[in-house]
Amino acid sequence: MAQETKEKIVGEAMRLFAVKGYGATSIADILQASGANSGSLYYFFPTKQDLLLEVLRRYQAGIADMLLAPAWEGLSDPIEKVFALLAAYRHMLVATDCTYGCPIGSLALEIHEPDPPVRALLAENFEGWVLAVEACYRDAAARLPPDIDRHALSIFTLTIMEGAVMQARTHRNLLAYDASIAMLRDHVARLEAAAKNSTDYQNQGDLT
Amino acid sequence: MAQETKEKIVGEAMRLFAVKGYGATSIADILQASGANSGSLYYFFPTKQDLLLEVLRRYQAGIADMLLAPAWEGLSDPIEKVFALLAAYRHMLVATDCTYGCPIGSLALEIHEPDPPVRALLAENFEGWVLAVEACYRDAAARLPPDIDRHALSIFTLTIMEGAVMQARTHRNLLAYDASIAMLRDHVARLEAAAKNSTDYQNQGDLT
DNA sequence: GTCTATAACCCGATAGAC
DNA sequence: GTCTATCGGGTTATAGAC
């Protein structure tokens, strides 16, 4: 069946791009892994870049079901959801002996050419991630100081995840990852404490 | 002169690996840019990876003179030195229209193979950076709470720089970079405030 | 140490029958 | 849509004269 062949190609491309990178994955690698033939692949994807674009669209479309839902299963506390997401990347690192973490981040630094369509999809993937985390911080409502920018805090969270994954991959251990996430925990805890104090002051004010 | 040829080759390799990446830079590119001939390059560096190792050794050896000294010129405040270093990466992004930032980070995510010697040098580069920042935080002495781990804070700082550069490159703008660095500023400011409060308490205690 | 020429290989992509 | 065979070009690296 045609759809099956296409799915197999895209699935193996997703896997191989994540494991070996885009440049280091040859079309021959994808053909061998998927069991498809050259003619079939080029029937669906005229160029290798078209296949990359499809892979990035899949990541984008799958962020809720493939990434967030499994990470957030059984959780309701919005702040815990943020750290559960970061724990999901930690699991990915553990499961691969710190060989890879975030496929989008790896591709983002590998693609050096302008490649506007590729870069736009990488950016959209980042934006989807940031928006999901931002929703958590918004749900945390009064637990955070009202004057801190939730969008900026979400960007900061992505920044830390990507930088921490990079170091884990380089050192092949989780020390820098854990230290970085612990620092973010500390920062969020300080924000919560600051919000609580100002609320206490406010309540004090109401009582006078 | 032999040494001159070698220096030209290494210099252009440093530049091209940073701009185009390791895999996307061919030996032919380096030969053309340096004006050297194939025979000369392979006389000094038997394989392309040997050239990469030399490039990484140069980055490591040059961190003080090439990176820190220019960024810290005229500065003495240790906390300001940390943010001046982060500003240096911002300048690099601005100067290249957000095309590249940290060569070590880019190479770290590009190299997917185990490549133990390469990865060891990447790790040493990160460690040198972290130790330099750690020295700043140590010099800040009593301005930070005594119970916070200066080494972990330095790793956190590198994490943020790398993650922020990645997003700047992807979005081709500085919004995520500036937002991330501003958040680190806020975090450090909160640490300084916490240290000051606890010192005040202590002084208060001395007065009773 | 430097030069030129080229080997040996792998890559993305295509042609054309079925 | 699927298959096989292959093209044209770029890659790292080498050979051997100077």
Side-chain angles (χ1 to χ4, degrees):
Chain A
M1 204 183 294
Q3 206 57 17
E4 246 176 56
T5 305
K6 187 175 179 180
E7 287 306 302
K8 200 84 176 56
I9 291 170
V10 174
E12 290 300 324
M14 285 181 83
R15 189 180 63 78
L16 287 165
F17 289 169
V19 172
K20 305 181 42 165
Y22 175 69
T25 299
S26 70
I27 298 284
D29 291 336
I30 298 167
L31 295 178
Q32 187 173 24
S34 64
N37 293 101
S38 167
S40 299
L41 189 148
Y42 281 101
Y43 172 78
F44 295 113
F45 306 104
T47 70
K48 191 184 178 187
Q49 178 172 308
D50 290 320
L51 178 53
L52 173 61
L53 291 171
E54 177 63 20
V55 164
L56 291 175
R57 269 183 238 112
R58 296 292 176 104
Y59 274 117
Q60 190 194 10
I63 183 171
D65 293 348
M66 303 283 108
L67 180 66
L68 303 178
W72 290 351
E73 210 182 320
L75 290 179
S76 57
D77 184 297
I79 299 285
E80 287 315 303
K81 281 162 86 176
V82 172
F83 287 96
L85 180 55
L86 297 173
Y89 285 92
R90 190 185 197 278
H91 284 137
M92 190 148 47
L93 286 166
V94 170
T96 63
D97 284 318
C98 295
T99 290
Y100 82 96
C102 172
I104 307 301
S106 301
L107 289 170
L109 282 201
E110 181 181 349
I111 311 294
H112 283 72
E113 304 94 66
D115 267 341
V118 174
R119 213 156 277 284
L121 274 169
L122 289 168
E124 283 174 42
N125 269 277
F126 279 160
E127 279 158 18
W129 200 100
V130 167
L131 285 178
V133 170
E134 191 176 341
C136 291
Y137 287 132
R138 282 191 202 286
D139 288 346
R143 283 166 61 189
L144 298 173
D147 61 311
I148 81 124
D149 182 343
R150 272 117 176 103
H151 186 64
L153 185 60
S154 310
I155 290 172
F156 188 57
T157 306
L158 174 58
T159 293
I160 292 164
M161 184 277 279
E162 293 292 355
V165 164
M166 178 191 291
Q167 284 175 82
R169 274 198 34 169
T170 303
H171 289 109
R172 290 282 194 263
N173 69 53
L174 290 161
L175 290 174
Y177 190 88
D178 290 338
S180 298
I181 304 306
M183 282 280 153
L184 177 61
R185 270 266 189 210
D186 179 69
H187 181 62
V188 171
R190 282 173 200 274
L191 291 179
E192 291 190 280
K196 191 163 184 309
N197 277 347
S198 95
T199 307
D200 291 349
Y201 275 120
Q202 213 171 301
N203 289 347
Q204 243 176 21
D206 292 350
L207 291 173
T208 57
Chain B
M1 203 182 294
Q3 207 57 17
E4 246 177 56
T5 305
K6 187 176 179 179
E7 287 307 302
K8 201 84 178 55
I9 290 170
V10 174
E12 290 299 322
M14 285 182 83
R15 191 180 62 78
L16 287 165
F17 289 169
V19 172
K20 305 180 43 163
Y22 175 69
T25 299
S26 70
I27 299 284
D29 290 336
I30 298 167
L31 295 178
Q32 187 173 23
S34 64
N37 294 101
S38 168
S40 298
L41 190 149
Y42 281 101
Y43 172 78
F44 295 114
F45 306 105
T47 69
K48 190 184 177 186
Q49 177 172 309
D50 289 319
L51 178 51
L52 173 61
L53 291 171
E54 178 63 19
V55 164
L56 291 175
R57 268 183 239 113
R58 297 292 175 105
Y59 274 117
Q60 191 194 8
I63 182 169
D65 292 348
M66 303 283 107
L67 180 66
L68 303 178
W72 291 351
E73 210 183 321
L75 289 179
S76 58
D77 182 298
I79 300 286
E80 288 315 304
K81 280 163 87 175
V82 172
F83 287 96
L85 180 56
L86 297 173
Y89 285 92
R90 189 184 197 279
H91 285 138
M92 191 148 46
L93 287 166
V94 169
T96 63
D97 284 317
C98 295
T99 289
Y100 84 97
C102 172
I104 308 301
S106 300
L107 288 170
L109 282 200
E110 181 182 348
I111 311 294
H112 284 72
E113 303 94 67
D115 267 340
V118 174
R119 213 155 277 284
L121 274 169
L122 289 168
E124 283 173 43
N125 270 277
F126 279 160
E127 279 158 19
W129 200 100
V130 166
L131 285 178
V133 170
E134 191 176 340
C136 292
Y137 288 132
R138 282 191 203 286
D139 287 346
R143 282 166 61 189
L144 298 173
D147 62 312
I148 82 126
D149 182 341
R150 272 114 176 105
H151 186 64
L153 185 59
S154 311
I155 290 172
F156 188 56
T157 305
L158 174 59
T159 294
I160 291 164
M161 183 277 279
E162 292 292 357
V165 165
M166 178 191 291
Q167 284 175 81
R169 274 197 35 166
T170 304
H171 290 109
R172 290 281 194 263
N173 69 54
L174 290 161
L175 289 174
Y177 190 88
D178 289 338
S180 298
I181 303 308
M183 283 279 152
L184 177 63
R185 271 264 189 210
D186 179 70
H187 181 63
V188 172
R190 282 173 200 275
L191 292 178
E192 290 190 280
K196 191 163 186 308
N197 277 345
S198 96
T199 308
D200 290 349
Y201 274 121
Q202 214 171 299
N203 289 347
Q204 242 176 22
D206 290 350
L207 292 173
T208 56

